[in-house]
């Protein structure tokens, strides 16, 4: 069930967070500048056919050295996303104040109500970065849209999924390609993929080897062949609730967060963001 409440300060926000019923296993947070935006990863928003496969391949060609230390496809997608490339991973944070910052930060949306989404995951839907399930989902980014559709349609059209059907599933050309990509990062990987994992949401703990992930207490939601319709409803893998941030409160909340040292300088550890923060702090204000 989705529950929606409204706040106008850090104090009222934290009061709601602390008074929420404890999650079954883990709770994460996602801040969005507009309450009307759909809960959906960037690669599923307004891109052309086969964009996911092409944009990733192009970035790997343009900047291979940036990703040379990333062994897992999940790690590559995390880094690509932080460079601004749309991916199938949905950014979340384990720190509610980080999500609050992202709900308020974008100046171009200061006239729009923001939202902090609270996502509660059960234990069986939590994975770590090196999970085979995560590799299965993330390597979908290497397949064409037609290959992903072939996998999705086979699963939907073959129920129940008995052993003979599973064997046929593994023999799909698209599944063979997917397995090859996974074996490139995990030579021990077998072709015993659980087809149901491709139709579930998972919370993923990333490795602490990315400065921005560390700064933002970051984590990710991964979903294979789902389109994020009705995400957060019963049976979808996590419970969803929302805290609305009125447009009129965003400026005040950002000032309060800055007192707690939550700002662009700390959220984005790269030097250009520190420079921008320092510049803005010393700019002359009108009517001051």
């Amino acid at each position: 069930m989705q529950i929606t409440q409204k706040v106008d300060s850090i104090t009222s926000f934290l009061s709601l967070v602390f008074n929420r019923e404890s999650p079954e296993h883990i709770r994460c947070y996602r801040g969005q500048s507009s309450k009307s935006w759909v809960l959906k990863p960037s690669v599923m928003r307004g891109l052309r056919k086969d964009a996911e496969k092409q944009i990733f391949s192009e970035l790997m060609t343009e900047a291979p050295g940036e990703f040379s230390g990333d062994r897992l496809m999940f790690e590559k997608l995390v880094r690509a996303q932080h460079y601004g490339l749309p991916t199938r991973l949905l950014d979340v944070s384990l720190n509610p104040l980080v999500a609050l910052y992202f709900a308020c930060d974008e100046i171009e949306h200061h006239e729009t109500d923001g939202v902090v989404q609270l996502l509660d995951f059960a234990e069986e839907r939590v994975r770590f970065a090196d999970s085979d399930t995560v590799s299965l989902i993330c390597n979908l980014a290497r397949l064409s849209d037609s290959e992903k559709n072939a996998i999705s349609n086979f699963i939907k059209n073959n129920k129940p999924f008995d052993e003979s059907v599973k064997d046929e599933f593994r023999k799909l050309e698209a599944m063979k390609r997917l397995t090859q990509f996974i074996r490139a990062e995990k030579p021990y990987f077998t072709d015993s993929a659980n087809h149901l994992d491709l139709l579930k949401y998972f919370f993923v703990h990333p490795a602490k080897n990315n400065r921005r992930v560390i700064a933002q207490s970051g984590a990710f939601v991964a979903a294979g062949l789902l389109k994020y319709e009705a995400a957060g409803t019963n049976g979808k893998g996590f419970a969803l609730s929302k805290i609305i941030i009125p447009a009129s409160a965003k400026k005040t909340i950002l000032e309060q967060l800055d007192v707690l040292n939550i700002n662009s300088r700390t959220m984005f550890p790269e030097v250009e963001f520190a420079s921008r923060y320092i510049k803005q702090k010393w700019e002359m204000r009108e009517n001051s």
Side-chain angles (χ1 to χ4, degrees):
M1 178 183 295
Q2 295 195 5
I3 302 171
T4 303
Q5 295 171 291
K6 184 179 292 188
V7 300
D8 59 6
S9 68
I10 286 183
T11 304
S12 58
F13 175 76
L14 288 178
S15 178
L16 276 182
V17 169
F18 289 138
N19 287 318
R20 306 280 308 166
E21 182 179 347
S22 297
E24 182 179 344
H25 186 67
I26 198 165
R27 175 173 292 155
C28 58
Y29 307 84
R30 177 173 170 82
Q32 297 183 167
S33 294
S34 173
K35 67 180 182 181
S36 65
W37 291 351
V38 178
L39 189 68
K40 185 176 290 188
S42 53
V43 82
M44 297 182 184
R45 301 183 219 141
L47 296 179
R48 302 201 310 266
K49 185 177 184 296
D50 281 328
E52 182 177 26
K53 175 186 175 182
Q54 292 299 123
I55 61 177
F56 178 78
S57 296
E58 287 185 30
L59 185 61
M60 293 301 104
T61 300
E62 291 292 331
E66 296 292 330
F67 299 86
S68 59
D70 298 324
R71 181 177 62 87
L72 303 174
M73 183 61 174
F74 173 77
E75 295 171 336
K76 290 181 172 67
L77 291 183
V78 169
R79 194 173 306 280
Q81 181 148 311
H82 285 169
Y83 286 143
L85 194 80
T87 79
R88 62 179 38 253
L89 299 178
L90 190 70
D91 285 281
V92 293
S93 176
L94 293 170
N95 185 335
L97 292 180
V98 170
L100 181 61
Y101 169 80
F102 284 110
C104 299
D105 177 52
E106 293 182 279
I107 294 175
E108 61 269 33
H109 297 292
H110 271 193
E111 303 303 316
T112 304
D113 289 352
V115 63
V116 172
Q117 315 252 20
L118 289 72
L119 294 75
D120 291 351
F121 282 84
E123 184 174 7
E124 65 270 16
R125 295 299 181 89
V126 176
R127 297 289 188 273
F128 287 92
D130 60 353
S131 159
D132 285 354
T133 298
V134 175
S135 292
L136 180 70
I137 290 172
C138 288
N139 277 284
L140 287 169
R142 296 180 178 271
L143 300 185
S144 66
D145 287 356
S146 62
E147 289 172 321
K148 284 178 282 193
N149 288 336
I151 295 173
S152 180
N153 291 335
F154 187 93
I155 295 173
K156 292 175 182 177
N157 295 330
N158 287 275
K159 298 177 181 178
F161 224 78
D162 57 26
E163 285 303 316
S164 62
V165 175
K166 287 181 180 179
D167 187 55
E168 188 178 352
F169 176 64
R170 297 182 192 115
K171 292 178 181 178
L172 285 176
E173 288 302 316
M175 279 305 301
K176 288 180 181 179
R177 275 177 48 77
L178 182 59
T179 301
Q180 288 174 349
F181 287 129
I182 299 172
R183 283 178 178 161
E185 64 183 58
K186 295 180 173 180
Y188 59 82
F189 185 81
T190 67
D191 61 355
S192 57
N194 184 350
H195 68 287
L196 291 178
D197 285 347
L198 291 169
L199 299 176
K200 294 178 181 178
Y201 296 94
F202 292 95
F203 171 91
V204 185
H205 287 287
K208 301 290 180 66
N209 59 2
N210 183 297
R211 293 175 63 201
R212 196 180 292 188
V213 166
I214 295 170
Q216 298 175 6
S217 300
F220 297 88
V221 175
L225 298 168
L226 298 175
K227 302 298 184 184
Y228 282 74
E229 288 97 350
T233 56
N234 290 340
K236 293 296 182 180
F238 61 90
L240 178 68
S241 54
K242 303 177 181 181
I243 299 176
I244 303 300
I245 317 300
S248 59
K250 285 185 175 182
K251 184 175 183 296
T252 298
I253 289 174
L254 284 174
E255 291 170 351
Q256 294 172 343
L257 288 169
D258 193 36
V259 172
L260 299 178
N261 201 31
I262 297 177
N263 49 51
S264 61
R265 178 180 59 184
T266 56
M267 290 297 93
F268 301 95
E270 298 84 1
V271 66
E272 61 265 31
F273 290 96
S275 177
R276 185 185 308 169
Y277 171 83
I278 294 168
K279 173 180 176 290
Q280 290 173 344
K281 186 171 69 171
W282 287 94
E283 283 178 340
M284 293 181 64
R285 300 289 189 265
E286 292 184 7
N287 302 320
S288 61

